[in-house]
Amino acid sequence: MAHIVTCIYCKHKFDRDKYPFVAVANRRYAHQECGMTEDQKKSKEVQDKEELDEYIKKLFKMSYVDARIQKQIKQYVEEYQFTYSGIRKALIYFYEIKGNSIQKSNGGIGIVPYVYRNAYNYYLALW
């Protein structure tokens, strides 16, 4: 008897008796390759977030990333669809490459939306 299921990631139907699969939730399945890809994306995102936090702590000489900056990061990721690594690179571009002063930041990263595209173009040209 065939157990035909639909992969929740790629939406293709497959027989879970014939192909390797992962159970994502109760009665929800995915191809093993699709499931691993999603896990890898999440782990990369977590790593990028940690690298951003470490850079911000080093930049502002803090022991933790305060709530204001966390809120800004969340806003940039949700509203502007910026990535954590993109935010970090924008900060590196603005402060280290362009040599701007951290004192004008007022303890926040509000400059990111204004320099994100320029930083993107800069790193694209380097690549």
Side-chain angles (χ1 to χ4, degrees):
M1 183 172 151
H3 292 101
I4 305 298
V5 294
T6 303
C7 176
I8 66 167
Y9 299 118
C10 71
K11 308 297 184 219
H12 289 102
K13 293 188 180 293
F14 67 97
D15 186 347
R16 67 178 189 170
D17 293 334
K18 295 181 181 176
Y19 298 100
F21 69 93
V22 291
V24 179
N26 190 21
R27 297 175 51 165
R28 302 291 302 225
Y29 303 96
H31 293 104
Q32 191 170 18
E33 306 87 40
C34 294
M36 285 186 179
T37 303
E38 289 299 313
D39 290 343
Q40 290 169 347
K41 285 180 191 173
K42 287 180 183 174
S43 68
K44 174 72 173 138
E45 190 173 324
V46 168
Q47 180 183 355
D48 288 346
K49 174 75 166 94
E50 289 173 358
E51 289 175 2
L52 174 61
D53 288 346
E54 289 301 315
Y55 181 75
I56 290 171
K57 288 190 283 189
K58 183 184 93 173
L59 184 67
F60 292 106
K61 296 175 179 61
M62 301 185 298
S63 58
Y64 65 94
V65 179
D66 65 18
R68 175 183 172 201
I69 295 176
Q70 291 288 1
K71 183 179 178 186
Q72 288 175 316
I73 293 169
K74 182 179 179 187
Q75 177 187 7
Y76 300 152
V77 170
E78 290 176 359
E79 289 182 25
Y80 300 114
Q81 280 75 45
F82 290 173
T83 62
Y84 295 121
S85 64
I87 295 169
R88 182 174 58 83
K89 288 177 183 173
L91 292 170
I92 292 170
Y93 172 79
F94 186 72
Y95 290 115
E96 294 181 21
I97 295 169
K98 289 295 184 181
N100 291 296
S101 172
I102 297 170
Q103 275 58 32
K104 294 180 182 178
S105 69
N106 294 326
I109 59 169
I111 193 66
V112 170
Y114 302 101
V115 300
Y116 193 89
R117 178 51 81 190
N118 292 341
Y120 174 83
N121 292 334
Y122 170 80
Y123 286 107
L124 185 64
L126 284 180
W127 184 72

